[in-house]
Amino acid sequence: MAQPELKRELANRHVQLIAIGGTIGTGLFLGSGKAIEKAGPSIMITYLIVGIAVFFVMRALGELLLSKAGYQSFTDIAEDYLGSRVAFITGWTYWFCWIMTAMADVIAVGVYVQYWFDIPQWVPAIACLVVLLGLNLLTVKSFGELEFWFALIKVITILALIGLGVILLIIGFKTDAGSVTIRNLWEYGGFFPNGISGFLFSFQMVVFAYVGVELVGVSAAETADPEKNIPSAINKIPLRILFFYVGALFVLLCINPWTELSPAESPFVKTFTLVGIPIAAGIINFVVLTSAASACNSGMFSTSRILYNLSRNNQASPHLGKLNKNHVPGNSLFISTIVISVGALLSKLIPEQAFGIVTTISAICFIWVWGIVLICHIKYKKTRPDLQEKSKFKAPFTPAINYIVLTLFAGILIIMLFAGETRPALLCTPLWFILLFILYSIRSKKGKSN
């Protein structure tokens, strides 16, 4: 009997909203406050630089995915161009990235629910995991539908903020912090109030804010008409970055002088409170709650598909490559969910440090994954001119832009080494890659002996 395959049930609207949801998450709603504290108004340039870099990564990934019909994800691409060792390390690293991110987000769900109900935070955290697991086990369409509505809530919130901000700018509205004016961008210490060092130290949190944009690539195997939907979603990323990130931050910083924003709270809550909306905190708490649930949902989807692909490539247990009757990798979903739930319980032991550690390690590991995509694309251009000639979705300015973005990523890692907050996680992360290298060597020796 032929082995069942993943179903292509994600429609264009699902792919488009997955792309939007992937670029709007806790990094913007929560992390932007911390990033603004470091960089001041220049944070808009940081988001723009990293956003442009991520767009070129996605263009390279899009061309690679569409160059061969059999590609399920970028681990297959790494296998073809860089060998099984790199594919093994990249696949498991991507799984690790999302596991850690999902751990933080499921704990966040528990914290946000406590805003309304006085219950232990592990109760809503586990309840969220159970609900998301049940929906993900049904069909990939269930994941797409859930992510569609989660992303829509985030989009509507940011649209409301931007619309409100434009109106307040036009009428010159006055708040307790002063007038709403574009002059707030430079009147409180200048556009770079903390100098070039503050600007550079903001890059780590901004990289984390873009985590998830590559979900378009992970969902390729389950996307109806990928030749149309994937390019469409990728090409809209620059406008979304300009509008949802730079646009939202521009409005926030015109309404609030950057000195009035606290890294401990969401700048979105502060803004809606300043303009006199009494239920602002509750509204934003709900949005951030759905954003955390959305990130956890994305984490469960991506980790299960990565385990499935690793199994299909003989880099994980064959049991993880089995699909249920709904064509969903059920075993991989269960394993990922169990690991996320255990991690969530453990992270309660260090609640204050957990978010910072997780975001730093996630950013480092995602830089690895994005870097591998760019290197594979360079190799693709050199070794497969026949495929590139036939490509209908050629990545622009290559290979020069690939080297430029790789240099930027290397620079961000160096910046993390000099920042006290990120240095410990940066120095510990290589242990993960050493472990994977050893595990791959052991598996290879066993394979040869058999």
Side-chain angles (χ1 to χ4, degrees):
M1 290 179 65
Q3 187 169 348
E5 297 290 333
L6 295 171
K7 272 194 172 181
R8 294 187 178 274
E9 290 190 326
L10 293 178
N12 183 49
R13 69 184 180 92
H14 295 136
V15 177
Q16 296 292 339
L17 267 293
I18 287 170
I20 295 175
T23 50
I24 305 171
T26 50
L28 177 62
F29 286 117
L30 297 178
S32 57
K34 192 173 181 181
I36 289 168
E37 180 195 33
K38 294 180 183 296
S42 67
I43 191 64
M44 292 186 289
I45 297 177
T46 315
Y47 274 97
L48 193 58
I49 291 172
V50 178
I52 291 169
V54 168
F55 168 67
F56 285 115
V57 172
M58 290 304 299
R59 281 301 302 258
L61 178 59
E63 182 175 1
L64 288 168
L65 282 170
L66 297 175
S67 69
K68 184 177 175 181
Y71 285 148
Q72 302 269 323
S73 76
F74 42 73
T75 50
D76 298 331
I77 296 168
E79 174 94 31
D80 262 7
Y81 291 101
L82 299 174
S84 57
R85 187 190 302 273
V86 174
F88 178 86
I89 292 172
T90 302
W92 280 105
T93 297
Y94 190 64
W95 179 81
F96 180 61
C97 289
W98 271 109
I99 285 291
M100 296 202 72
T101 305
M103 284 179 188
D105 285 309
V106 79
I107 284 293
V109 167
V111 173
Y112 299 144
V113 170
Q114 285 184 319
Y115 177 84
W116 294 294
F117 305 104
D118 186 20
I119 55 177
Q121 69 180 46
W122 66 267
V123 175
I126 296 299
C128 175
L129 276 177
V130 171
V131 171
L132 293 179
L133 174 63
L135 289 169
N136 274 274
L137 282 171
L138 295 176
T139 61
V140 68
K141 195 172 182 180
S142 301
F143 161 78
E145 204 63 40
L146 194 62
E147 203 56 28
F148 174 85
W149 291 107
F150 276 150
L152 201 59
I153 290 170
K154 292 186 273 191
V155 169
I156 290 170
T157 302
I158 295 177
L159 287 174
L161 171 74
I162 292 174
L164 181 66
V166 170
I167 293 169
L168 297 181
L169 266 172
I170 292 170
I171 65 175
F173 188 81
K174 292 188 183 297
T175 69
D176 293 340
S179 297
V180 176
T181 171
I182 196 171
R183 291 193 299 275
N184 286 338
L185 298 179
W186 60 80
E187 285 193 341
Y188 293 84
F191 197 70
F192 292 85
N194 294 323
I196 196 66
S197 61
F199 171 69
L200 293 175
F201 288 149
S202 68
F203 272 84
Q204 176 267 326
M205 186 55 69
V206 174
V207 168
F208 179 73
Y210 285 107
V211 161
V213 68
E214 74 298 320
L215 270 180
V216 173
V218 177
S219 65
E222 295 164 274
T223 301
D225 196 4
E227 289 79 10
K228 177 185 175 183
N229 293 338
I230 290 176
S232 174
I234 290 173
N235 282 335
K236 291 187 174 85
I237 287 174
L239 284 176
R240 286 165 181 161
I241 288 168
L242 278 171
F243 192 76
F244 291 113
Y245 275 113
V246 181
L249 289 168
F250 172 80
V251 167
L252 282 172
L253 293 168
C254 285
I255 296 173
N256 308 277
W258 74 274
T259 51
E260 295 291 319
L261 297 173
S262 167
E265 66 176 331
S266 169
F268 286 80
V269 174
K270 176 79 171 178
T271 300
F272 279 96
T273 305
L274 266 179
V275 298
I277 301 176
I279 58 170
I283 293 170
I284 298 301
N285 194 72
F286 174 74
V287 172
V288 175
L289 171 62
T290 60
S291 182
S294 169
C296 187
N297 188 42
S298 296
M300 291 171 69
F301 173 83
S302 58
T303 52
S304 64
R305 269 54 178 185
I306 287 293
L307 286 183
Y308 170 80
N309 283 317
L310 287 169
S311 175
R312 294 292 295 270
N313 292 330
N314 299 316
Q315 293 176 335
S317 168
H319 295 291
L320 298 175
K322 293 181 179 179
L323 301 178
N324 64 18
K325 63 181 181 180
N326 296 319
H327 297 260
V328 168
N331 292 344
S332 294
L333 260 173
F334 276 115
I335 292 296
S336 292
T337 305
I338 289 168
V339 176
I340 292 168
S341 65
V342 171
L345 294 173
L346 288 175
S347 62
K348 288 175 65 178
L349 300 174
I350 49 168
E352 293 181 6
Q353 297 91 353
F355 187 75
I357 293 170
V358 165
T359 56
T360 302
I361 294 176
S362 290
I364 295 164
C365 292
F366 271 101
I367 285 174
W368 166 276
V369 172
W370 294 341
I372 290 297
V373 170
L374 292 171
I375 293 168
C376 285
H377 191 267
I378 292 170
K379 194 100 182 269
Y380 154 83
K381 286 207 69 166
K382 287 181 178 178
T383 61
R384 297 305 305 269
D386 55 321
L387 291 179
Q388 200 201 12
E389 184 64 30
K390 292 187 291 184
S391 174
K392 296 178 181 177
F393 191 55
K394 288 183 173 68
F397 311 121
T398 58
I401 196 67
N402 296 40
Y403 290 111
I404 291 170
V405 175
L406 284 169
T407 303
L408 172 66
F409 288 159
I412 292 171
L413 292 177
I414 292 169
I415 291 167
M416 288 185 188
L417 186 62
F418 284 95
E421 294 176 55
T422 54
R423 189 185 305 117
L426 179 66
L427 294 176
C428 290
T429 304
L431 296 175
W432 167 254
F433 292 98
I434 292 168
L435 173 63
L436 290 178
F437 188 90
I438 294 169
L439 289 174
Y440 179 82
S441 300
I442 293 170
R443 283 184 64 87
S444 296
K445 286 179 183 177
K446 281 185 179 179
K448 288 177 182 177
S449 63
N450 291 336

